[in-house]
Amino acid sequence: MAQPDGKKIFFENLSGAGKAIAVLTSGGDAQGMNAAVRAVVRMGLYVGAKVYFIHEGYQGMVDGGENIREATWEGVSSMLQVGGTVIGSARCKEFRTHEGRLKAAHNLVQHGITNLCVIGGDGSLTGANLFREEWSGLLTELVEQGVIEADAVQKYSALHIVGMVGSIDNDFCGTDMTIGTDSALHRIIEVVDAIMTTAQSHQRTFVLEVMGRHCGYLALVSALACGADWVLIPEMPPEDGWEEKMCQKLSANRAGMKRLNIIIVAEGAIDRNTKPITTDYVKNLVVKCLGFDTRVTILGHVQRGGTPSAFDRILASRMGVEAVLALLETTANTPACVVSLCGNQSVRLPLMECVQMTQEVQKAMDEKRFEEAVKVRGRSFENNLKTYKLLAHRKPESELPTSNFNVAVLNVGAPAAGMNAAVRSAIRVGISEGHKMLAVNDGFEGFYKGQIKEIKWGDVGGWTGQGGSLLGTKRTLPAKHAEKIAEQMRKHNINALLVIGGFEAFLSLLELLTARGKYEEFCVPMVMVPATVSNNVPGSDLSIGADTALNAITTTCDRIKQSASGTKRRVFIIETMGGYCGYLATVGGLAAGADAAYIYEEPFDIKDLQANVEHLTEKMKTSIQRGLVLRNENSNENYTTDFIYQLYSEEGKGVFDCRKNVLGHMQQGGAPSPFDRNFGTKISAKAMQWISKKLVETFRQGRVFANSEDSCCLLGMRRRALVFQPVVQLKDETDFVHRIPKEQWWLKLRPLMKILAKYKTSYDVSDSGQLEHVERNRPKESDASVAM
């Protein structure tokens, strides 16, 4: 298969030959830790280093013996989809003592280990940094005790530390998402969705407690994802008198024909006097004041368990590879760093800067400086809080501004999970800004037919968890019906358009922009929010719906592989959606542990297919029992899924047999993932705020008139930021024949997938993280955390 250009990391470049790397998981477990361990082991072995497991965290390091074992390639097979940590994790009091760290240093030196990859929370990483600072003194002490030879001090002079944050609470400053957070949100949302059906049946109120003793991220984001009525978090305790306000809100929602109420409480929730707010207190309050039938559900350790989500597997795999690169590049003077995620990009940050900032949050909370605690937690957290308040708490009509603007919202193209969350967000933000919001059914087809009606705040209640498109969506483009659409714009006095959809939505905006010369009605602010499972929209690294599709692919691949458990060796050929865009096949392959992924963007021929079969045959003979090959539906018109299935079946005779699956529209269905709900909610809210700003800017002499390029934009995520880009400027970046962007960031993940599947390949390290400093206030656009 053709390889992307880039600095090659074989043994001659960033070689790990002669180095020993140890990986351990410490503190509380988190889903995705195994994916990180697997990536560290395989990347370490790939660059020629020796890699060791340290079982049972720091306890294993102190005890030594069988707890420190050399890792093999095969030893990390089949662990990608397993929750928790297979190498064990334990809290270790002994490591906190000097004697304990002395024992640990001795055990590491015995194995020649001077590179440590620690996966854990801030306590585990702080301990690792202290160990690193004491290292030379500990070795000197061991020499004095006669336990190690004098030359060992010189030979193992420096201990290098790289951290990865594994914590479901997402309580570590400096990183947008920690390993395990997305999976914990999946568990919470699965429970909330299930509870909502029973609550609706009986008209009940449910009070749910989620984890987060010192951090309200899980509570806040799950409240945003399910449209909860009230949320209580430690960083921002409610104002005095909150009890009455909450009961008024619950009562108003019931009066508005809502049959249920959901209240989410973080386990560390407190009031302004730092007194704990418990679920029982909230339940008793609702029963006493309102008489509602109320139940409490405490999720507990369910949130830590289960299979890691696609996002966590990809995050952990990327971080694991980045951690090994960081260890290879480190020198004696390099501070201990943590590999992290900022937007959609890997970064390396000084470990202690992140730890100090995390401790500042707790200090601010202890001293009742709650606004500061929210700010220090990070702009992403602050944004989530603002968005939740904006969407959950409706202002009285008397307090709403009156803009006299009419804004239409429509879905265009194929349905994608998360579209409804985006529509709900746009409608409610628009109403909050004083606009009259109009819903267009069935895309531009419904537009020219006049299927347009006003939509109110309560009409979009409960939309966040719904899959598909409740407004209805069609692939119809507007150019053929421009005159009728202009007539409807005039009839309904539409002053702005928000289009939520995929590649057709992009084409639609280009057509409307062109039609401005003929129809003045189109001279209004127009913005598009990308929503498609294919993730093929130019100008955005991510689209609403792609994460849900990835989870569907990953879950199905897990089950398909498990179906062959205990049988003879078997290879599965799986076809994914995406048109000509190979995003789902590539990233799904990385998340599911595929051996190969065939895509249109990376041309392949019969020799490549033959090489893949031979490579898989060799692996089957020596170690693995099951193989997985993904193929994008339009990767090659001749090398079809059937052809590849038949080729593998023939060439694998006597070694393995084959099965094939076409996943089809199951990738487009289902309830949206927490990521898609929150990404859709936040990006759509931002788009609506842009529309409000543009409406004010372009309102002249009693009407809106916007005909500049920058009044017709696509809001997309680019690396670390959410960016508004004029659609006309994106034309040069687009391959219109194949409906894909000319450059796609995820192609850089393909070598990573191949390395983890034991292929020799080139890996572009030009984009790997450089050591940066923690920024307290990033530029405003970078509120677009890849995750939430």
Side-chain angles (χ1 to χ4, degrees), residues 536-557:
N536 64 332
V537 177
S540 190
D541 291 351
L542 294 166
S543 298
I544 299 164
D547 183 71
T548 305
L550 276 178
N551 277 290
I553 292 166
T554 307
T555 305
T556 309
C557 287

Side-chain angles (χ1 to χ4, degrees), residues 701-716:
Q701 297 170 340
R703 71 177 187 135
V704 173
F705 186 80
N707 66 346
S708 59
E709 285 182 1
D710 69 350
S711 64
C712 183
C713 282
L714 179 146
L715 174 55

